[in-house]
Amino acid sequence: QNLEEAALFVEKKPHRHAVGRCYRCETIVEPYISNQWFVKMEPLARAAIKVVEEGKIKFYPDRWTKVYLNWMNNIRDWCISRQIWWGHRIPVYYCKNCHVAGKGVIVSENKPQSCPECGGTEISQDPDVLDTWFSSWLWPISTLGWPDQTEDLKTFYPTQTLSTAAEIIFFWVARMVMSGLEFTGEIPFSDVYIHGTVRDDHGRKMSKSLGNTVDPLHIIKKYSADALRFSMMAICAQGQDVYISEEKFELGRNFCNKLWNATRFTFMTMPIEKDEIQQAFQMEKHELKDLADTHKWILSKLDRAVEEITKNLDAFRIGEAVQSLHELFWHHFCDWYLELIKVDRDHPRNKEVTYYVLTQILKLLHPIAPFITEEIWNKILPGTSIMNQPWPKADTCYRNPAIEEEFDLVQEVIRHIRNIRKDKGVAPSKSIRVLISTSKTSVTELIKRYEPYIVHLTKIEDLSIGENLEKPKDSVASVMKDLVIYVLMEGLIDLEKEKKRLTRQLQDLDRLIKQGSGKLENKEFLQKAPQDVIKRMRDRLTELHEQQKKVEEGLKILVT
């Protein structure tokens, strides 16, 4: 009307728009101007910015530090009142007599008996309730008895680590820092770990409405709680989202099964008494004399793993810590050490070293898989708990880079021999003859020193080692740095027949590659064919090229 009277109104048109409605009662939601309570945040933010800039509070991953500081430096006043049914009532009271004159507003923990301004007794409390986060920002101190100076508050405040999600850095994390500094003068925590979001294997955020959630109780019943914990930690990268499906929990189940079986094997082959276990713990006192090379190697690997795992956990790189632990136990301890010491089965320090390494692995694993580690620990030391054990410490007295380098070479030799067996279809039960030709005297001496381990782990009946040896007839070669391995095939496979088979296979692959390449070079085909068909053909062509490379390598290593 005012616009029309001022001749400023141009025209009026009907307009259809989406009307906001309450998700519960479907009532139309309309803008409404009302009085609200605010907290002035800028003075509170100054101290909270300073402690982060000075490094007293650190974010992991570090990129969230910038996000936190950007919000804090541009902070707005906080509306803390809400017009809902449930919540903590705003601690503000109004005097009916003098509130109309701009007075009679009383902030009090308890309802006052009378108005301090006029003495009136008709007093009512503000109907609004506090924002949920207003209660939550006091969590680190209110749960410990604050504002009273309780023993719990003195003992447990400030805490050390907060693990939370990125979406509540502003709602909760920043506000806890501000309230902690304002009301106690101390930071509430020193480390903030921002974890990722759990998503399904298609990348969708898990939700009940989508029906794509993984029920942890079902996983625990099917695989165990330790399997769930181990799997989740193994696949997470710091601060990154986690993509899971039920099949991924097989990783943790397999690891726990391996741990249990490896422990049973150790008990069966090396039964141990309580006093012998105590002796094993003395390894921490640098008892390094009279050790076999296998002992020196596994102790060096253990020491390196303790350092890596501890460093990664301190930096909240949990996935990397679990991967290091997996490699230490599964690869170094089970795949190699337990097999290698079969050669030294009568060595007097086998038990001591084996149980020392096993108990150290259990300690490292305990925060990740607490139940199975506690169970195994009680079988080793009945009546004790692994929870009371000290965390392993890296000790450079165990570190032996030279022995690690030697074992790297020996393991590589064993892998090459095993690969030849597999590629040529030679059964693991069949004994083989091997010749190793080296180019250096030092390498020859090293291979000879570790000859019993190579023979045992590859089932060799005859092993010849020397410098610049001639290629034997009817053998397959595998080339390494400073040495060549020849596996004699006489009596194992027909070399001429194998050559013909590989040659035919190579011809078939060449034909298929030409057909596929011809189609993908045809412009008309590329224009008309669906994109998923083209992608499948390209993937297939890549696979054919890989097969071609393997067959060519197989032909190359056949020596007559």
Side-chain angles (χ1 to χ4, degrees), residues 20-95:
R21 292 180 178 272
C22 174
Y23 74 99
R24 286 184 177 176
C25 62
E26 291 296 319
T27 304
I28 293 175
V29 177
E30 299 182 62
Y32 177 73
I33 297 174
S34 62
N35 292 324
Q36 303 290 337
W37 288 95
F38 286 80
V39 173
K40 192 170 183 61
M41 300 304 291
E42 192 273 333
L44 296 172
R46 290 190 211 122
I49 291 170
K50 186 178 179 182
V51 293
V52 172
E53 289 179 335
E54 291 177 348
K56 293 178 181 177
I57 295 178
K58 294 181 179 179
F59 283 82
Y60 301 87
D62 183 60
R63 66 177 182 272
W64 293 110
T65 305
K66 185 177 180 181
V67 175
Y68 169 92
L69 291 174
N70 182 64
W71 187 76
M72 294 291 280
N73 283 312
N74 296 280
I75 199 166
R76 304 290 182 88
D77 291 342
W78 178 15
C79 176
I80 62 166
S81 52
R82 295 291 181 272
Q83 296 72 51
I84 55 179
W85 284 106
W86 303 109
H88 293 128
R89 288 281 291 276
I90 297 252
V92 174
Y93 298 85
Y94 303 108
C95 172

Coordinates of all heavy atoms in Angstrom, one line a residue, residues 20-95:
G20 N 8.1 -24.0 3.5 CA 8.7 -24.7 4.5 C 7.7 -25.3 5.5 O 6.8 -24.5 6.0
R21 N 7.9 -26.5 5.9 CA 7.0 -27.1 6.9 C 7.8 -27.9 7.9 O 8.9 -28.4 7.6 CB 6.0 -28.1 6.2 CG 5.0 -27.4 5.3 CD 4.0 -28.4 4.7 NE 3.0 -27.7 3.9 CZ 1.8 -27.3 4.4 NH1 1.5 -27.4 5.7 NH2 1.0 -26.7 3.6
C22 N 7.3 -28.0 9.1 CA 7.9 -28.7 10.2 C 7.9 -30.2 9.8 O 6.9 -30.7 9.4 CB 7.2 -28.5 11.5 SG 7.8 -29.5 12.9
Y23 N 9.1 -30.8 10.0 CA 9.2 -32.2 9.6 C 8.5 -33.2 10.5 O 8.2 -34.3 10.2 CB 10.7 -32.6 9.6 CG 11.4 -32.8 10.9 CD1 11.5 -34.1 11.5 CD2 11.9 -31.7 11.6 CE1 12.1 -34.2 12.7 CE2 12.5 -31.9 12.9 CZ 12.6 -33.1 13.4 OH 13.2 -33.3 14.6
R24 N 8.0 -32.6 11.7 CA 7.2 -33.5 12.6 C 5.7 -33.3 12.4 O 5.0 -34.3 12.3 CB 7.7 -33.2 14.0 CG 9.0 -33.8 14.4 CD 9.4 -33.5 15.8 NE 10.6 -34.1 16.2 CZ 11.2 -34.0 17.4 NH1 10.6 -33.3 18.3 NH2 12.3 -34.6 17.7
C25 N 5.3 -32.0 12.5 CA 3.8 -31.8 12.6 C 3.3 -31.2 11.3 O 2.1 -30.9 11.2 CB 3.5 -30.9 13.8 SG 4.2 -29.3 13.7
E26 N 4.1 -30.9 10.3 CA 3.7 -30.4 9.0 C 3.2 -29.0 9.1 O 2.6 -28.5 8.1 CB 2.7 -31.3 8.3 CG 3.2 -32.7 7.9 CD 4.3 -32.5 6.8 OE1 4.1 -31.7 5.9 OE2 5.3 -33.2 6.9
T27 N 3.3 -28.3 10.2 CA 2.9 -26.9 10.3 C 3.8 -26.0 9.4 O 5.0 -26.3 9.4 CB 3.0 -26.4 11.8 OG1 2.2 -27.3 12.6 CG2 2.5 -25.0 11.9
I28 N 3.2 -25.0 8.8 CA 4.0 -24.1 7.9 C 5.0 -23.3 8.8 O 4.7 -22.8 9.9 CB 3.1 -23.1 7.2 CG1 2.2 -23.9 6.2 CG2 3.9 -22.1 6.5 CD1 1.2 -23.0 5.4
V29 N 6.2 -23.3 8.4 CA 7.3 -22.6 9.1 C 7.4 -21.2 8.5 O 7.6 -21.1 7.3 CB 8.7 -23.4 9.0 CG1 9.8 -22.6 9.7 CG2 8.6 -24.8 9.6
E30 N 7.2 -20.2 9.4 CA 7.3 -18.8 8.9 C 8.3 -18.0 9.7 O 8.6 -18.3 10.8 CB 5.9 -18.1 9.1 CG 4.8 -18.8 8.4 CD 3.5 -18.1 8.6 OE1 3.4 -16.9 8.2 OE2 2.5 -18.7 9.2
P31 N 9.0 -17.1 9.0 CA 9.9 -16.2 9.7 C 9.2 -15.5 10.9 O 8.1 -15.0 10.8 CB 10.4 -15.2 8.7 CG 10.1 -15.9 7.4 CD 8.8 -16.7 7.6
Y32 N 9.9 -15.4 12.0 CA 9.3 -14.8 13.2 C 10.4 -14.0 13.9 O 11.4 -14.6 14.3 CB 8.7 -15.8 14.1 CG 8.1 -15.3 15.3 CD1 6.9 -14.6 15.3 CD2 8.7 -15.6 16.6 CE1 6.3 -14.2 16.5 CE2 8.2 -15.1 17.7 CZ 7.0 -14.4 17.7 OH 6.4 -13.9 18.9
I33 N 10.2 -12.7 14.1 CA 11.2 -11.9 14.8 C 10.9 -12.0 16.3 O 9.7 -11.8 16.8 CB 11.0 -10.4 14.4 CG1 11.4 -10.3 12.9 CG2 12.0 -9.6 15.2 CD1 11.2 -8.9 12.4
S34 N 11.9 -12.4 17.1 CA 11.8 -12.5 18.5 C 13.1 -12.2 19.2 O 14.1 -12.1 18.6 CB 11.3 -14.0 18.9 OG 12.4 -14.9 18.5
N35 N 13.0 -12.0 20.5 CA 14.1 -11.7 21.3 C 14.9 -13.0 21.6 O 14.3 -14.0 21.9 CB 13.7 -11.1 22.7 CG 13.2 -9.7 22.5 OD1 13.6 -8.9 21.6 ND2 12.2 -9.3 23.3
Q36 N 16.2 -13.0 21.5 CA 17.1 -14.1 21.7 C 18.2 -13.7 22.6 O 18.6 -12.6 22.6 CB 17.6 -14.7 20.4 CG 16.5 -15.0 19.3 CD 15.7 -16.3 19.7 OE1 16.2 -17.1 20.5 NE2 14.5 -16.4 19.2
W37 N 18.8 -14.7 23.3 CA 20.0 -14.5 24.1 C 21.2 -14.9 23.3 O 21.3 -15.9 22.6 CB 19.9 -15.4 25.4 CG 18.9 -14.9 26.4 CD1 17.6 -15.2 26.5 CD2 19.1 -13.8 27.3 NE1 17.0 -14.5 27.5 CE2 17.9 -13.6 28.0 CE3 20.2 -13.0 27.6 CZ2 17.8 -12.7 29.0 CZ3 20.1 -12.1 28.6 CH2 18.9 -11.9 29.3
F38 N 22.2 -14.0 23.3 CA 23.5 -14.3 22.6 C 24.6 -14.2 23.6 O 24.6 -13.6 24.7 CB 23.7 -13.2 21.6 CG 22.8 -13.3 20.4 CD1 21.5 -12.9 20.4 CD2 23.3 -13.8 19.2 CE1 20.7 -13.0 19.3 CE2 22.5 -14.0 18.1 CZ 21.2 -13.5 18.1
V39 N 25.7 -14.9 23.2 CA 27.0 -14.8 24.0 C 28.0 -14.1 23.1 O 28.1 -14.5 21.9 CB 27.5 -16.2 24.4 CG1 28.9 -16.1 25.0 CG2 26.6 -16.9 25.3
K40 N 28.6 -13.1 23.6 CA 29.6 -12.3 22.8 C 30.9 -13.2 22.7 O 31.5 -13.5 23.8 CB 29.9 -11.0 23.4 CG 30.7 -10.0 22.5 CD 30.7 -8.6 23.1 CE 31.5 -7.7 22.2 NZ 30.8 -7.6 20.9
M41 N 31.3 -13.6 21.5 CA 32.3 -14.6 21.4 C 33.7 -14.1 21.1 O 34.7 -14.8 21.4 CB 31.9 -15.6 20.2 CG 30.6 -16.3 20.4 SD 30.5 -17.2 21.9 CE 31.7 -18.5 21.6
E42 N 33.8 -12.9 20.6 CA 35.1 -12.4 20.2 C 36.1 -12.4 21.3 O 37.3 -12.8 21.2 CB 35.0 -11.0 19.5 CG 36.3 -10.5 18.8 CD 37.2 -9.8 19.8 OE1 36.7 -9.3 20.8 OE2 38.4 -9.8 19.5
P43 N 35.7 -11.9 22.5 CA 36.7 -11.9 23.7 C 37.1 -13.4 24.1 O 38.2 -13.6 24.5 CB 35.9 -11.2 24.8 CG 34.9 -10.4 24.1 CD 34.5 -11.2 22.9
L44 N 36.2 -14.3 24.0 CA 36.5 -15.7 24.3 C 37.4 -16.3 23.3 O 38.2 -17.2 23.6 CB 35.2 -16.5 24.4 CG 34.2 -16.1 25.5 CD1 32.9 -16.9 25.3 CD2 34.8 -16.4 26.9
A45 N 37.3 -15.9 22.0 CA 38.0 -16.5 20.9 C 39.5 -16.2 21.0 O 40.3 -17.0 20.5 CB 37.4 -16.1 19.6
R46 N 39.8 -15.0 21.5 CA 41.2 -14.6 21.5 C 42.2 -15.6 22.1 O 43.2 -16.0 21.5 CB 41.4 -13.2 22.2 CG 40.7 -12.1 21.5 CD 41.1 -10.7 22.2 NE 40.1 -9.8 22.0 CZ 39.4 -9.2 23.0 NH1 39.8 -9.4 24.3 NH2 38.5 -8.3 22.8
A47 N 41.8 -16.0 23.3 CA 42.7 -17.0 24.0 C 42.7 -18.3 23.3 O 43.7 -19.0 23.2 CB 42.2 -17.2 25.4
A48 N 41.5 -18.8 22.7 CA 41.4 -20.0 22.0 C 42.2 -20.0 20.7 O 42.7 -21.1 20.3 CB 40.0 -20.4 21.8
I49 N 42.4 -18.9 20.1 CA 43.2 -18.8 18.9 C 44.7 -18.9 19.3 O 45.5 -19.6 18.6 CB 42.9 -17.4 18.2 CG1 41.5 -17.4 17.6 CG2 44.0 -17.2 17.1 CD1 41.1 -16.1 17.1
K50 N 45.1 -18.2 20.4 CA 46.5 -18.2 20.8 C 47.0 -19.5 21.1 O 48.1 -19.9 20.7 CB 46.6 -17.2 22.0 CG 48.0 -17.0 22.4 CD 48.1 -16.0 23.6 CE 49.5 -15.8 24.1 NZ 49.6 -14.9 25.3
V51 N 46.3 -20.4 21.9 CA 46.8 -21.7 22.3 C 47.0 -22.6 21.1 O 47.9 -23.4 21.1 CB 45.9 -22.4 23.3 CG1 45.9 -21.6 24.6 CG2 44.4 -22.5 22.8
V52 N 46.2 -22.4 20.0 CA 46.4 -23.2 18.8 C 47.6 -22.7 18.0 O 48.5 -23.5 17.5 CB 45.2 -23.3 17.9 CG1 45.4 -24.0 16.6 CG2 44.1 -24.0 18.7
E53 N 47.7 -21.4 17.9 CA 48.9 -20.8 17.2 C 50.2 -21.1 17.9 O 51.2 -21.3 17.2 CB 48.7 -19.3 17.1 CG 47.6 -18.9 16.1 CD 47.4 -17.4 16.0 OE1 47.8 -16.7 17.0 OE2 46.9 -16.9 15.0
E54 N 50.2 -21.3 19.2 CA 51.4 -21.6 19.9 C 51.7 -23.1 20.0 O 52.7 -23.5 20.5 CB 51.3 -21.0 21.4 CG 51.3 -19.5 21.4 CD 51.1 -19.0 22.9 OE1 50.7 -19.8 23.7 OE2 51.3 -17.8 23.1
G55 N 50.8 -23.9 19.4 CA 51.0 -25.3 19.4 C 50.6 -26.1 20.7 O 51.0 -27.2 20.8
K56 N 50.0 -25.4 21.6 CA 49.5 -26.1 22.8 C 48.4 -27.0 22.5 O 48.3 -28.0 23.3 CB 49.1 -25.0 23.9 CG 50.3 -24.1 24.4 CD 49.8 -23.1 25.4 CE 50.9 -22.2 25.8 NZ 50.5 -21.2 26.8
I57 N 47.6 -26.7 21.5 CA 46.6 -27.7 21.0 C 46.9 -28.0 19.6 O 47.1 -27.0 18.8 CB 45.2 -27.1 21.1 CG1 44.8 -26.9 22.6 CG2 44.2 -28.0 20.5 CD1 43.4 -26.3 22.8
K58 N 47.0 -29.3 19.2 CA 47.4 -29.6 17.8 C 46.3 -30.5 17.2 O 45.6 -31.2 17.9 CB 48.7 -30.5 17.8 CG 49.9 -29.7 18.3 CD 51.1 -30.5 18.2 CE 52.4 -29.7 18.7 NZ 53.6 -30.6 18.6
F59 N 46.1 -30.2 15.9 CA 45.0 -31.0 15.2 C 45.7 -32.0 14.3 O 46.8 -31.8 13.8 CB 44.2 -30.0 14.3 CG 43.2 -29.2 15.0 CD1 43.6 -28.0 15.7 CD2 41.9 -29.6 15.0 CE1 42.6 -27.3 16.3 CE2 40.9 -28.8 15.7 CZ 41.3 -27.7 16.4
Y60 N 45.1 -33.2 14.2 CA 45.6 -34.3 13.4 C 44.4 -34.7 12.5 O 43.4 -35.1 13.0 CB 46.1 -35.4 14.2 CG 47.2 -35.1 15.1 CD1 46.9 -34.6 16.4 CD2 48.5 -35.3 14.8 CE1 47.9 -34.3 17.3 CE2 49.5 -35.0 15.7 CZ 49.2 -34.5 16.9 OH 50.3 -34.1 17.8
P61 N 44.5 -34.6 11.2 CA 45.6 -34.1 10.4 C 45.7 -32.6 10.5 O 44.8 -31.9 10.9 CB 45.2 -34.4 8.9 CG 44.2 -35.5 9.0 CD 43.5 -35.2 10.3
D62 N 46.9 -32.1 10.3 CA 47.2 -30.7 10.5 C 46.4 -29.7 9.7 O 46.2 -28.5 10.1 CB 48.7 -30.4 10.3 CG 49.1 -29.0 10.6 OD1 49.0 -28.6 11.8 OD2 49.6 -28.3 9.7
R63 N 45.8 -30.1 8.6 CA 45.1 -29.2 7.7 C 43.9 -28.6 8.4 O 43.4 -27.6 8.0 CB 44.6 -29.9 6.4 CG 43.6 -31.0 6.6 CD 43.2 -31.6 5.3 NE 42.2 -32.7 5.4 CZ 42.4 -34.0 5.6 NH1 43.7 -34.3 5.7 NH2 41.5 -34.8 5.7
W64 N 43.4 -29.3 9.5 CA 42.2 -28.8 10.2 C 42.6 -27.6 11.1 O 41.7 -26.9 11.5 CB 41.6 -29.9 11.0 CG 41.0 -30.9 10.2 CD1 41.4 -32.2 10.0 CD2 39.8 -30.8 9.3 NE1 40.6 -32.9 9.1 CE2 39.6 -32.0 8.7 CE3 38.9 -29.7 9.0 CZ2 38.5 -32.3 7.8 CZ3 37.9 -30.0 8.2 CH2 37.7 -31.2 7.5
T65 N 43.9 -27.4 11.3 CA 44.3 -26.2 12.1 C 43.8 -24.9 11.4 O 43.3 -24.0 12.0 CB 45.8 -26.2 12.3 OG1 46.2 -27.4 12.9 CG2 46.3 -25.0 13.2
K66 N 44.1 -24.9 10.1 CA 43.7 -23.7 9.3 C 42.2 -23.5 9.3 O 41.7 -22.3 9.4 CB 44.2 -23.9 7.8 CG 44.0 -22.7 7.0 CD 44.6 -22.9 5.6 CE 44.4 -21.7 4.7 NZ 44.9 -21.9 3.3
V67 N 41.4 -24.5 9.2 CA 40.0 -24.4 9.2 C 39.5 -23.9 10.6 O 38.7 -23.0 10.6 CB 39.3 -25.8 9.0 CG1 37.8 -25.8 9.1 CG2 39.7 -26.4 7.6
Y68 N 40.1 -24.4 11.7 CA 39.7 -23.9 13.0 C 40.0 -22.4 13.1 O 39.2 -21.6 13.6 CB 40.5 -24.7 14.0 CG 40.5 -24.2 15.4 CD1 39.5 -24.6 16.4 CD2 41.4 -23.3 15.9 CE1 39.5 -24.2 17.7 CE2 41.4 -22.8 17.2 CZ 40.5 -23.3 18.1 OH 40.5 -22.8 19.4
L69 N 41.3 -22.0 12.8 CA 41.7 -20.6 12.9 C 40.9 -19.7 12.1 O 40.6 -18.6 12.5 CB 43.2 -20.5 12.6 CG 44.1 -21.2 13.6 CD1 45.6 -21.1 13.1 CD2 44.0 -20.5 15.0
N70 N 40.5 -20.1 10.9 CA 39.7 -19.2 10.0 C 38.4 -18.9 10.6 O 37.9 -17.8 10.5 CB 39.6 -19.9 8.6 CG 38.8 -19.1 7.6 OD1 39.2 -18.0 7.2 ND2 37.6 -19.5 7.2
W71 N 37.7 -20.0 11.2 CA 36.4 -19.7 11.8 C 36.5 -18.9 13.0 O 35.7 -18.0 13.2 CB 35.8 -21.1 12.1 CG 34.4 -21.0 12.6 CD1 33.3 -20.7 11.9 CD2 33.9 -21.1 14.0 NE1 32.2 -20.7 12.7 CE2 32.5 -20.9 14.0 CE3 34.6 -21.3 15.2 CZ2 31.8 -21.0 15.1 CZ3 33.8 -21.4 16.3 CH2 32.4 -21.2 16.3
M72 N 37.6 -19.1 13.8 CA 37.7 -18.4 15.1 C 38.1 -16.9 14.8 O 37.6 -16.0 15.5 CB 38.8 -19.0 15.9 CG 38.5 -20.4 16.4 SD 37.2 -20.4 17.6 CE 38.1 -19.9 19.1
N73 N 38.8 -16.7 13.8 CA 39.2 -15.3 13.5 C 38.0 -14.5 12.9 O 38.1 -13.3 12.8 CB 40.4 -15.2 12.5 CG 41.7 -15.5 13.2 OD1 42.0 -14.9 14.2 ND2 42.5 -16.4 12.6
N74 N 37.0 -15.2 12.4 CA 35.8 -14.5 11.8 C 34.6 -14.9 12.6 O 33.5 -15.0 12.1 CB 35.7 -15.0 10.4 CG 36.8 -14.5 9.5 OD1 36.9 -13.3 9.1 ND2 37.8 -15.4 9.2
I75 N 34.8 -15.1 13.9 CA 33.7 -15.6 14.7 C 32.5 -14.6 14.9 O 32.8 -13.4 14.9 CB 34.2 -16.1 16.1 CG1 33.2 -17.1 16.8 CG2 34.5 -14.9 17.0 CD1 33.8 -17.8 18.0
R76 N 31.3 -15.1 15.0 CA 30.1 -14.3 15.2 C 29.6 -14.6 16.6 O 29.9 -15.6 17.2 CB 29.0 -14.6 14.2 CG 29.5 -14.4 12.8 CD 29.7 -12.9 12.4 NE 30.1 -12.8 11.0 CZ 29.2 -12.6 10.0 NH1 27.9 -12.7 10.3 NH2 29.6 -12.4 8.8
D77 N 28.8 -13.7 17.1 CA 28.1 -13.9 18.4 C 27.2 -15.1 18.3 O 26.6 -15.4 17.3 CB 27.4 -12.7 18.9 CG 28.3 -11.5 19.2 OD1 29.5 -11.8 19.5 OD2 27.8 -10.4 19.3
W78 N 27.1 -15.8 19.4 CA 26.4 -17.1 19.5 C 25.0 -17.0 20.1 O 24.9 -16.6 21.2 CB 27.3 -18.1 20.3 CG 26.8 -19.5 20.5 CD1 25.8 -20.1 19.8 CD2 27.3 -20.4 21.4 NE1 25.6 -21.4 20.3 CE2 26.5 -21.6 21.3 CE3 28.3 -20.4 22.4 CZ2 26.7 -22.7 22.1 CZ3 28.5 -21.5 23.2 CH2 27.7 -22.7 23.0
C79 N 24.0 -17.3 19.3 CA 22.6 -17.4 19.8 C 22.4 -18.7 20.6 O 22.5 -19.7 20.0 CB 21.6 -17.3 18.6 SG 19.9 -17.4 19.2
I80 N 22.2 -18.5 21.9 CA 22.2 -19.7 22.7 C 20.8 -20.1 23.2 O 20.6 -21.1 23.9 CB 23.1 -19.5 24.0 CG1 22.5 -18.4 24.8 CG2 24.5 -19.3 23.6 CD1 23.1 -18.3 26.2
S81 N 19.7 -19.3 22.8 CA 18.4 -19.7 23.2 C 17.6 -20.4 22.1 O 17.8 -20.2 20.9 CB 17.6 -18.4 23.6 OG 17.7 -17.4 22.5
R82 N 16.8 -21.4 22.6 CA 16.0 -22.2 21.6 C 14.6 -22.2 22.1 O 14.3 -22.4 23.3 CB 16.6 -23.6 21.6 CG 18.0 -23.7 21.0 CD 18.0 -23.4 19.5 NE 19.3 -23.5 18.9 CZ 20.2 -22.5 18.9 NH1 19.9 -21.3 19.4 NH2 21.4 -22.6 18.3
Q83 N 13.6 -22.2 21.2 CA 12.2 -22.2 21.5 C 11.7 -23.7 21.3 O 10.9 -23.9 20.3 CB 11.4 -21.2 20.7 CG 11.8 -19.8 20.9 CD 13.2 -19.4 20.4 OE1 13.5 -19.7 19.2 NE2 14.1 -18.9 21.2
I84 N 12.1 -24.6 22.1 CA 11.7 -26.0 22.0 C 11.2 -26.4 23.4 O 11.5 -25.8 24.4 CB 12.8 -26.9 21.4 CG1 14.1 -26.7 22.2 CG2 13.1 -26.5 20.0 CD1 15.2 -27.6 21.7
W85 N 10.6 -27.6 23.4 CA 10.0 -28.1 24.7 C 11.1 -28.6 25.7 O 11.0 -28.3 26.9 CB 9.1 -29.3 24.4 CG 7.7 -28.8 23.8 CD1 7.3 -28.9 22.5 CD2 6.7 -28.2 24.5 NE1 6.1 -28.4 22.3 CE2 5.7 -27.9 23.5 CE3 6.5 -27.7 25.8 CZ2 4.5 -27.3 23.9 CZ3 5.3 -27.1 26.1 CH2 4.3 -26.9 25.2
W86 N 12.0 -29.3 25.2 CA 13.0 -30.0 26.1 C 14.3 -29.3 26.1 O 14.8 -28.9 25.1 CB 13.1 -31.5 25.8 CG 11.8 -32.2 25.7 CD1 11.1 -32.7 24.6 CD2 10.9 -32.5 26.8 NE1 9.9 -33.2 25.0 CE2 9.8 -33.1 26.4 CE3 11.0 -32.2 28.2 CZ2 8.8 -33.6 27.2 CZ3 10.0 -32.7 29.0 CH2 8.9 -33.3 28.5
G87 N 15.0 -29.3 27.2 CA 16.3 -28.8 27.3 C 16.5 -28.1 28.7 O 15.6 -28.0 29.5
H88 N 17.7 -27.6 28.9 CA 18.0 -26.8 30.1 C 17.4 -25.4 30.0 O 17.8 -24.7 29.0 CB 19.6 -26.7 30.3 CG 20.2 -28.0 30.6 ND1 21.3 -28.5 29.9 CD2 19.9 -29.0 31.5 CE1 21.6 -29.7 30.4 NE2 20.8 -30.0 31.4
R89 N 16.6 -25.0 30.9 CA 16.0 -23.7 30.9 C 17.0 -22.6 31.0 O 18.0 -22.7 31.8 CB 14.9 -23.5 32.0 CG 13.7 -24.4 31.8 CD 12.7 -23.7 30.8 NE 12.1 -22.5 31.4 CZ 11.1 -22.4 32.2 NH1 10.5 -23.6 32.5 NH2 10.6 -21.3 32.6
I90 N 16.8 -21.5 30.3 CA 17.7 -20.4 30.4 C 17.6 -19.8 31.8 O 16.5 -19.6 32.3 CB 17.3 -19.2 29.4 CG1 17.4 -19.8 28.0 CG2 18.1 -18.0 29.6 CD1 18.5 -19.2 27.2
P91 N 18.7 -19.6 32.5 CA 18.7 -19.2 33.9 C 18.4 -17.7 34.1 O 19.2 -16.9 34.7 CB 20.1 -19.6 34.5 CG 21.0 -19.5 33.3 CD 20.1 -19.9 32.1
V92 N 17.4 -17.2 33.4 CA 17.0 -15.8 33.5 C 15.6 -15.7 34.0 O 14.7 -16.4 33.5 CB 17.2 -15.1 32.1 CG1 16.6 -13.7 32.1 CG2 18.6 -15.2 31.6
Y93 N 15.4 -14.7 34.9 CA 14.0 -14.5 35.5 C 13.6 -13.1 35.3 O 14.4 -12.2 35.2 CB 14.1 -14.9 37.0 CG 14.4 -16.3 37.3 CD1 15.8 -16.7 37.3 CD2 13.5 -17.3 37.4 CE1 16.1 -18.0 37.5 CE2 13.8 -18.6 37.6 CZ 15.1 -19.0 37.7 OH 15.4 -20.3 37.9
Y94 N 12.3 -12.9 35.2 CA 11.7 -11.5 35.0 C 10.7 -11.2 36.1 O 9.9 -12.0 36.5 CB 10.9 -11.5 33.6 CG 11.8 -11.9 32.4 CD1 11.6 -13.2 31.8 CD2 12.8 -11.1 32.0 CE1 12.3 -13.6 30.7 CE2 13.6 -11.5 30.9 CZ 13.3 -12.7 30.3 OH 14.1 -13.1 29.2
C95 N 10.8 -9.9 36.5 CA 9.9 -9.4 37.5 C 8.7 -8.8 36.8 O 8.9 -7.9 35.9 CB 10.6 -8.4 38.4 SG 9.5 -7.5 39.5

